Amino acid sequence: MIKSKGTRIGDWIIAFICVLCVLVCLLPVLNILARSLSSADALVRGEVLLLPKGLNFDAYMTVLGDSKYTWSLLWTAILTLIVTIWSMFMTVMCAYPLVYDNLKGKKLIMAVIIFTMYFSAGIIPSYLLLKELHLLNNPLVLILPGSISVFYVIIMRSFFFGIPESLKESAELDGAGPLRVLVSIYLPLSTPVLATLALFYAVGRWNGYFDALMFMNDRTYFPIQLLLYNILNSITSVEVATQEGFSSPGLSETIKSATVMFATVPILLVYPWLQRYFISGVTIGAVKG
């Protein structure tokens, strides 16, 4: 089919906007990568933009050779895996019963769930509650409080509503109970939304640092993002720089850039595996209901 002139112009405009968005996202990453691979002297002179100057891998050797960084990365990966599995379990268990019309108090339950999406107690009551539950400075404080998202529950519920009712009814006629229907019908047909929400939960936990900053004092359980936060915000004097293992301002900047890449690249590697589910999971789950 031959496109009209107006359609071709529109395609070029859309392509230009897409390229511009890619550059806006990509250029800062390239700059950080170049800084992490450059010499300390080149950084001090301000010569590094998108290509490394005085190529060396000293910063990465320093980061990888420090158990503080490697353990933090390993702990964050373990934490992300646990949180993703637990949060997906909680989300499915919350969304699935809401599919049944005969669920007693269904409207009240939905009203309470939606209410929590718009109103929260705030950080101080949350801190006092976690203190009473003896969760402060406990690794569980990074798992339990944020284990479920109301918005994701609504997306999951909407997706479940899009599955034909006849499939559930036929399974029930064959003697299947609610859990069997969930495992045999709903979950296999919900792969796109499951993968999408799992990605959201994983990225949210990997990038999260505020809960650890507020509720954790034990550096052993600091996630990589909090460690990065401390590095980027604490190196303000020669004393602190020496404590963190930095011997010069240029080396400080190089290692900070290497740490940023160290914390960013692992979660980026997850996207290609889930990309084919991403768009369908978000759109179908968001518009049906």
Side-chain angles (χ1 to χ4, degrees):
M1 183 178 67
I2 300 176
K3 295 182 179 181
S4 64
K5 182 178 180 181
T7 302
R8 290 197 301 271
I9 293 176
D11 290 344
W12 280 106
I13 293 175
I14 293 173
F16 174 77
I17 294 174
C18 290
V19 171
L20 186 63
C21 291
V22 169
L23 291 177
V24 169
C25 296
L26 186 60
L27 291 180
V29 177
L30 293 178
N31 177 256
I32 294 295
L33 179 61
R35 293 170 68 87
S36 68
L37 293 172
S38 298
S39 64
D41 294 338
L43 286 180
V44 171
R45 293 193 297 267
E47 299 176 351
V48 181
L49 186 58
L50 296 179
L51 296 176
K53 300 289 185 179
L55 181 66
N56 71 80
F57 298 91
D58 293 344
Y60 288 97
M61 297 301 294
T62 301
V63 171
L64 293 175
D66 192 330
S67 60
K68 166 177 67 177
Y69 296 103
T70 52
W71 162 247
S72 181
L73 181 65
L74 177 60
W75 162 242
T76 306
I78 295 172
L79 181 64
T80 300
L81 180 62
I82 294 174
V83 167
T84 302
I85 294 174
W86 173 246
S87 296
M88 289 303 300
F89 173 79
M90 293 292 292
T91 301
V92 171
M93 289 296 101
C94 183
Y96 176 63
L98 299 174
V99 175
Y100 286 82
D101 293 330
N102 58 353
L103 177 66
K104 293 183 179 180
K106 178 179 178 180
K107 292 184 178 179
L108 177 61
I109 294 173
M110 276 303 303
V112 172
I113 289 175
I114 294 176
F115 179 85
T116 62
M117 185 168 65
Y118 294 104
F119 302 96
S120 64
I123 189 65
I124 295 178
S126 298
Y127 183 90
L128 296 177
L129 174 62
L130 294 173
K131 182 180 179 181
E132 290 297 322
L133 295 175
H134 304 288
L135 288 176
L136 293 182
N137 209 33
N138 187 322
L140 290 177
V141 79
L142 304 177
I143 300 173
L144 297 181
S147 59
I148 190 168
S149 167
V150 174
F151 180 66
Y152 298 163
V153 169
I154 294 174
I155 291 179
M156 181 72 72
R157 171 181 172 271
S158 300
F159 195 96
F160 283 164
F161 269 123
I163 296 175
E165 184 77 12
S166 57
L167 294 177
K168 178 168 71 73
E169 293 175 351
S170 62
E172 291 173 343
L173 290 175
D174 291 335
L179 288 179
R180 182 62 182 273
V181 172
L182 172 65
V183 173
S184 301
I185 296 178
Y186 278 84
L187 292 184
L189 295 176
S190 303
T191 303
V193 72
L194 291 174
T196 301
L197 296 187
L199 178 62
F200 285 162
Y201 276 122
V203 172
R205 178 61 271 171
W206 183 273
N207 291 332
Y209 74 94
F210 186 74
D211 52 353
L213 178 65
M214 291 288 101
F215 308 129
M216 290 291 298
N217 292 321
D218 189 351
R219 293 179 64 92
T220 303
Y221 298 107
F222 277 8
I224 188 67
Q225 299 297 343
L226 180 56
L227 185 65
L228 176 61
Y229 173 87
N230 289 335
I231 291 173
L232 295 178
N233 290 278
S234 297
I235 305 176
T236 56
S237 66
V238 175
E239 277 184 89
V240 179
T242 303
Q243 292 174 4
E244 294 292 339
F246 303 139
S247 58
S248 69
L251 181 60
S252 168
E253 291 297 324
T254 304
I255 295 183
K256 284 194 290 185
S257 300
T259 308
V260 171
M261 296 302 300
F262 192 63
T264 303
V265 171
I267 197 64
L268 290 179
L269 298 178
V270 177
Y271 279 96
W273 299 95
L274 300 177
Q275 183 181 12
R276 61 194 180 111
Y277 299 114
F278 189 77
I279 297 177
S280 60
V282 172
T283 56
I284 295 176
V287 302
K288 286 191 177 182

